[in-house]
DNA sequence: CTTAATGCAAACGATTTGCACCGCC
DNA sequence: GGCGGTGCAAATCGTTTGCATTAAG
């Protein structure tokens, strides 16, 4: 785990006068160390082994908090639920409509794309933009092969 | 209502050998005539007056169907639910994090943006891209004013 | 010490399901 | 007239809530 990344996230919490609890620490670490875009339940199943009395309510709380602080982002999943993604360096997401898999895609000009979207939005609507989300939907390699049989 | 738009949507149904029922017709018309990004419940409340025995299950079915056919798109809303949007000419969405309002934003180069995203994704992941979604999150004009008081 | 944060379990509510009936093609 | 579509109500399940308890700063 890039320890620097973790420390930076903790700093963000401190800046907002948010208490750094063991629960928040392990959830944060989990998110940094996994790029599996977990659901609340995935996180819960993974962490309850090493942290036996951890409640789902706490995970919901923590994730909502992290999202507000811009540490993580929410992704709408194919099954209607939500997945979470630590958002260190900007990227967008490719979501498979068959198996639900989510893959990170690095986009060279992400920064300038965001600026362009932001500018257009502010001009047309007066919005003050905080962040942007980009997703593409389609079929992953495996499902293309599977479905063409 | 642009009748041509409606007819084109019906053609899409016919092409896929999907039956054109009165329920599907009025739901489709509702979506074409409103740019309010309705939830299932909004549609239900609006249509049950003129179509007394219409069940929510049918609306869920129809919307999922339309989405698969590419006639409408789903938007993740601030309250965790889903909103639906007839997707005639491409645009992206600005979503207010305070009041939940969703506004369409016309983006001049949307087509070329989509192609660029699509290309990058296919190169990096082997995905076959069907469509893309872009959303920006922030504060709308009204909420900026409201919150700075 | 003070007060935010947690755990637990009950409550909630949006979405789905099963099945008998209906009506589009 | 066959089969896809619909309505209805019950079941489901992810998420939220209320409150007593705990521990971070």
């Amino acid at each position: 785990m890039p320890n620097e990344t973790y420390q930076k996230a903790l700093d963000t919490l401190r800046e907002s006068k948010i208490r750094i609890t063991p629960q928040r620490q392990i959830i944060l670490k989990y998110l940094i160390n996994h790029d599996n875009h977990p659901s609340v339940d995935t996180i819960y199943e993974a962490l309850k082994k090493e942290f036996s009395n951890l409640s789902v309510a706490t995970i919901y709380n923590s994730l909502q908090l992290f999202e507000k602080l811009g540490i993580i982002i929410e992704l709408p999943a194919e099954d209607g639920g939500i997945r979470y993604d630590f958002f260190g360096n900007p990227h967008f997401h490719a979501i498979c409509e068959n198996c639900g898999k989510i893959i990170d895609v690095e986009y060279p000009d992400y920064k300038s794309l965001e600026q362009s979207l932001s500018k257009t939005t502010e001009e047309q609507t007066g919005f003050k933009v905080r962040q942007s989300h980009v997703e593409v939907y389609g079929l992953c390699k495996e499902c293309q092969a599977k479905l063409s049989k």
Side-chain angles (χ1 to χ4, degrees), chain A:
Chain A
M1 165 180 70
N3 193 270
E4 196 192 326
T5 307
Y6 176 59
Q7 291 304 330
K8 202 177 148 204
L10 290 188
D11 285 344
T12 305
L13 293 185
R14 287 195 196 94
E15 278 166 29
S16 304
K17 303 241 165 66
I18 305 278
R19 290 188 187 166
I20 296 171
T21 66
Q23 290 85 343
R24 285 175 182 163
Q25 291 181 53
I26 60 165
I27 294 172
L28 211 38
K29 281 185 186 167
Y30 181 90
L31 290 167
I32 292 175
N33 290 325
H34 297 76
D35 61 344
N36 56 351
H37 310 94
S39 66
V40 167
D41 200 59
T42 302
I43 298 172
Y44 178 63
E45 291 302 321
L47 296 183
K48 74 176 179 190
K49 292 162 198 158
E50 50 176 301
F51 208 90
S52 56
N53 60 339
L54 172 68
S55 81
V56 286
T58 300
I59 300 179
Y60 279 101
N61 282 339
S62 303
L63 293 174
Q64 281 175 15
L65 185 68
F66 296 161
E67 202 278 333
K68 270 190 201 132
L69 295 173
I71 296 175
I72 63 174
I73 62 169
E74 300 184 336
L75 296 173
E78 276 305 290
D79 66 4
I82 295 179
R83 301 288 177 278
Y84 294 88
D85 187 21
F86 186 82
F87 206 58
N89 57 318
H91 54 265
F92 68 89
H93 297 94
I95 303 176
C96 179
E97 295 178 312
N98 188 242
C99 68
K101 181 165 42 196
I102 302 176
I103 300 183
D104 292 347
V105 183
E106 306 293 332
Y107 190 65
D109 292 326
Y110 201 89
K111 280 280 172 210
S112 67
L113 169 59
E114 280 202 310
Q115 279 173 21
S116 168
L117 293 174
S118 197
K119 186 159 166 285
T120 304
T121 304
E122 285 169 23
E123 283 169 4
Q124 274 186 45
T125 67
F127 257 66
K128 185 156 176 51
V129 175
R130 186 181 66 103
Q131 62 171 212
S132 49
H133 285 201
V134 176
E135 297 107 32
V136 301
Y137 293 84
L139 284 181
C140 71
K141 217 177 211 169
E142 290 72 30
C143 287
Q144 286 173 53
K146 211 176 296 172
L147 293 178
S148 64
K149 275 180 191 167

